[in-house]
Amino acid sequence: MHVVATAGHVDHGKSTLVRALTGMEPDRWAEERRRGMTIDLGFAWTALPSGEVLAFVDVPGHERFVPNMLAGIGPAPAALFVVAADEGWMPQSAEHLAALHALGVRHGLLAVTRTDLADPAVATELALAEIAATSLGEVEAVAVSATTGAGLPELRAALDRLAARLPVPEPAAPVRLWVDRAFTIKGSGTVLTGTLGAGELRAGDELELTGTGQRVRVRGLQTLGEQVSQVAGVARVAVNLRGVAREQVGRGDALLTPGRFQQTDLVDVRLAGDPVAELPAEVTLHVGSAAVTARVRPLGADTARLRLDRPLPLRIGDRALLRDPGRRHVAGGVTVLDVVPPRLDRRGAAAARAAVLAGLDGRPDEPGELARRGLARRPELERMGVTVTTAPVTGVWHADPAHWRDLGRRLLDEVTRWAQTHPLEPGIPVETARRLLDLPDRALVEALVAAPLVARDGRISRGGATGRLPEQVARAVRRVGAELAERPFVAPEAARLAEVGLGHREIGAAVRAGVLLKLADNVVLLPDAPEQAIRVLAALPQPFTLSTARQALGTTRRVAVPLLELLDRRGATRRLPDDARIMLTGPGDS
């Protein structure tokens, strides 16, 4: 299926032409038929000569109903532009064309109607010239009379050629269905309609509804009046939702693939049209079928920040339209440059941001986004519309390579600085490092740890480095070491350790420096004590008891028990069922 929106001045025969092409009545309201003027969106479809199906979104042409018109052409990929031969180019012709140009519509066809009332040559020439100067470029023109039927076969053939030129949407793309109509069917509940531009919808799918933020389930699908189990864009589709009240949804809401669009009320954009400086403080932003008030903060000559009065599901590269509600004219089209822009709190931040925006083209680019942000989570990048191809640095986090290298250097500096100012601690706590580096996740700090750094027990230090002990600690260790040199297995009592100045922090620092061996709380020996103990115990008759070992080592149970347990863990001794032990290694083997 293909979808085309009509466009053109009021009473130039858009609905009449759609009626003649499809045999269907696009005007849904009795008032429209009574007044002979389209007020709201109408829908009809027909089979083309090739067999392709073409659905029309018929829009109102009167200036009072421009918001309704924009809701119809916003999601449509192509336009059937209608100009009456007897009236020619008119004010709403210009406004509708300006809207198509602002939205970046690139595919279209000109139908010059009422050829039974006037020669179409002049109207055709002027309309083609006006259209050629816009995003539509050079289009095919067909002269037609819906009243006599003249030109209708030629118009059908031209529509077939237009359909053949339309780009094929990506079926795997995430769904963003802008709602243009919502109503209730007795026995079925709430039904939404819209133009599905890309992606696929299936009965049973879970989607996100922007109006409420809730997850909703697709109960059923219809397209062109037929029940279907799935539908792929581009298509006109009606979606029956389960458990959604009619008053919870309306035009301008959207059904989304969960987690794939950034719902934002703050965007940076580039404007093509009126100079940014001439925009009023408030404008109306039209995108998809939505129309929201936006406050304008100029940044550069053609860039601005828009604060929306409600969040919309937007991505980098989206095209939208700004309308000045006071002057009631199209102020220009905007290209979304950033849907998660940085704060502008500091002096000079706005000017710096304008310089950044000047270099953006509205194409979602992973290297560029990472270079600007430094770090970003994969889901955030995907919601912006960025295709992620790089490997994460940890979890779902992706990083700009240069920024990541700089963070690694900064972490090394912080670890070194911490060791100098906190010599008795076993390294900088990971959480402290996270705050110093201003990182959003501890996992990023841990992922930055690389040689010569090591992470252990929630702290980061230089691996293999003994560090330098403060002089008072080194002096205390030397005093204890001298005593242990004479009696290597007689560990100083806690009181003695405290007397020489070795508390828990000082002992920990000495152990990390490799100058003391800690067997248990307040039980320390010299680092070579296990080797000495192996030599003594190897000379005993095997197996030996704890009491025998204690006597041979000349120490107490306070030392002998943890020392033997250490030798067990190292594989030098083995404990037997009767609590005796045997040696498994000799001196120098452990």
Side-chain angles (χ1 to χ4, degrees), residues 5 137 172 178 208 261 281 291 296 311 324 357 394 419 421 426 428 451 489 531 539 551 563:
W178 292 102
E208 186 177 347
F261 290 89
V296 180
D324 182 345
L357 295 178
T394 182
T421 56
I428 185 172
F489 306 111
E531 280 291 328
Q551 295 176 29
L563 178 56

Side-chain angles (χ1 to χ4, degrees), residues 528-553:
D528 64 348
E531 280 291 328
Q532 294 188 54
I534 289 171
R535 285 193 289 270
V536 171
L537 298 176
L540 294 176
Q542 305 293 312
F544 56 88
T545 65
L546 170 64
S547 177
T548 302
R550 178 183 61 76
Q551 295 176 29
L553 295 172

Side-chain angles (χ1 to χ4, degrees), residues 61-135:
H62 197 282
E63 63 176 345
R64 285 186 294 161
F65 306 118
V66 167
N68 291 348
M69 178 272 292
L70 293 173
I73 69 171
L80 174 61
F81 206 95
V82 177
V83 176
D86 59 333
E87 290 192 353
W89 198 254
M90 297 291 283
Q92 289 308 113
S93 304
E95 182 163 21
H96 282 212
L97 182 60
L100 292 169
H101 177 63
L103 293 170
V105 179
R106 298 186 178 277
H107 302 276
L109 176 65
L110 172 64
V112 180
T113 59
R114 299 188 193 165
T115 57
D116 55 313
L117 300 180
D119 187 331
V122 174
T124 300
E125 182 180 1
L126 178 56
L128 286 175
E130 294 285 347
I131 292 171
T134 70
S135 60

